[in-house]
Amino acid sequence: MPPEYDTIPHRRFNLLTGEWVLVSPQRTRRPWQGQTEATEAPPVAAYDPTCYLCPGNERAAGARNPEYSQPFVFTNDFPALLPDLPRLPDRPGPLLQAQAEPGVCRVVCYSPRHDLSFGQMPPQQAVAVIDTWRREYVELGALPWINAVQIFENRGTAMGCSNPHPHGQIWANATVPTIPAREGERQEDFFRERGKCLLCASLAEELADPVRVVMANNHFVVLVPFWAVWPFETLLLPRRHDSRITGLGPEEKEALAEIMIRLNVCYDNLFATVFPYSMGIHQQPTDGCEHPEWHWHVHYYPPLLRSAAVRKHMVGYEMMAMPQRDLTAERCAERLRAVPVDRHFRERGEQR
Ligand code: H2U
Ligand code: ZN
């Protein structure tokens, strides 16, 4: 990377969304007098009698969880989407558009253990979570009126997560949501124009000059995207081109579990805190068509900026104009690469 990328304000193009991000590396020396946030104490008990997600406990709407020992999936008690909908009456105005949107929302408890985050789970437990995601993607995707299955996780109160018990969510709906739809269009355009996959080509370029690569194994690479908006944002890419996670073989599942665990330990150890993020798996629509242009991947969007106490907010110029960052993707990748990942900080007794 030419050194000017570290000194000159510039904008970078997001290949997946077609949007630009403003990068202002010269600004990283400005003083900070903003808010500092209290750090989140990680849960300590393996079982919490007041937790809605622990085995055997009653949930908020009255249902009771079984005494599960493997990943446990249930229909969200307060779902944003509902399966059986009547037609919406005619438009509320000549220009205003609305459509009924049928869908399904589920919650996935990763482990019966209240205190284990993804990074602390034994690899076999993480493989079981991956198998659960695959099963749900197939099962929900097979419903004729479901065309998109979004697997995601909110972690930490900073991201609006309601409970430290390790869990994620799945929302599946009739129409492909805005962001995966945009990524699909971009991948399709590239595939049509160049006859190859956008993310295969991009990954090859990243590996040729691995300044943004954070970690890798035989099957996966984690990197800070050139166009990252969030400070320590990463993109997890399979080396093998595939449009969905259903094709993962046993060795690939183990490799995926390994790298997801390692990335979680890296994130938590970076600021010795329960590192908040939103994670999501992007895959091809479940519309019954082949999508050779689609390269499945996982996004991690963490809001923390320079310590466990300072977070980035999308306000001002970012809300009104375009996203902006000070620390470059390359500097953040460098910092993430330097984090020791041999042990989780909680096992080293450095708990905050
Ligand atoms: P978060 O991971 O973002 O906190 O979301 C947890 C989800 O779990 C949330 O969508 C659901 C909430 O509706 N939930 C239940 O379905 N039952 C409960 O008893 C508690 C939470
Ligand atoms: Zn719990």
Side-chain angles (χ1 to χ4, degrees), residues 163-281:
N163 184 332
H165 193 114
H167 69 283
Q169 298 192 46
I170 303 173
W171 292 18
N173 47 330
T175 57
V176 181
T178 315
I179 298 169
R182 185 85 183 108
E183 291 190 358
E185 283 165 21
R186 298 275 317 156
Q187 292 181 94
E188 201 177 341
D189 288 350
F190 191 93
F191 196 79
R192 201 182 42 246
E193 285 160 22
R194 318 248 189 134
K196 57 185 175 184
C197 161
L198 169 67
L199 285 176
C200 283
S202 175
L203 179 58
E205 208 170 303
E206 291 292 336
L207 292 174
D209 180 16
V211 282
R212 285 173 293 278
V213 173
V214 175
M215 55 182 65
N217 62 25
N218 283 342
H219 297 284
F220 296 94
V221 176
V222 171
L223 49 86
V224 179
F226 177 70
W227 54 79
V229 165
W230 297 97
F232 294 96
E233 172 179 338
T234 54
L235 180 64
L236 191 166
L237 286 170
R239 293 182 191 264
R240 181 175 66 76
H241 179 86
D242 202 344
S243 61
R244 52 197 158 196
I245 58 174
T246 46
L248 287 173
E251 201 188 295
E252 288 175 315
K253 282 190 279 176
E254 278 174 30
L256 180 58
E258 188 277 323
I259 208 157
M260 285 184 130
I261 289 172
R262 189 154 37 117
L263 179 60
N264 268 266
V265 174
C266 175
Y267 273 155
D268 282 5
N269 286 359
L270 176 67
F271 299 134
T273 193
V274 174
F275 198 78
Y277 60 67
S278 275
M279 173 281 276
I281 306 177

Side-chain angles (χ1 to χ4, degrees), residues 36-48:
T36 58
E37 282 179 21
T39 64
E40 193 174 330
V44 281
Y47 168 74
D48 177 350

Side-chain angles (χ1 to χ4, degrees), residues 53-90:
L53 304 179
C54 273
N57 289 2
E58 192 175 305
R59 294 206 301 274
R64 187 169 290 279
N65 297 323
E67 291 289 346
Y68 64 92
S69 58
Q70 288 303 308
F72 165 57
V73 182
F74 64 91
T75 299
N76 199 310
D77 298 307
F78 310 96
L81 295 157
L82 294 166
D84 300 307
L85 301 178
R87 265 178 55 88
L88 265 189
D90 283 346

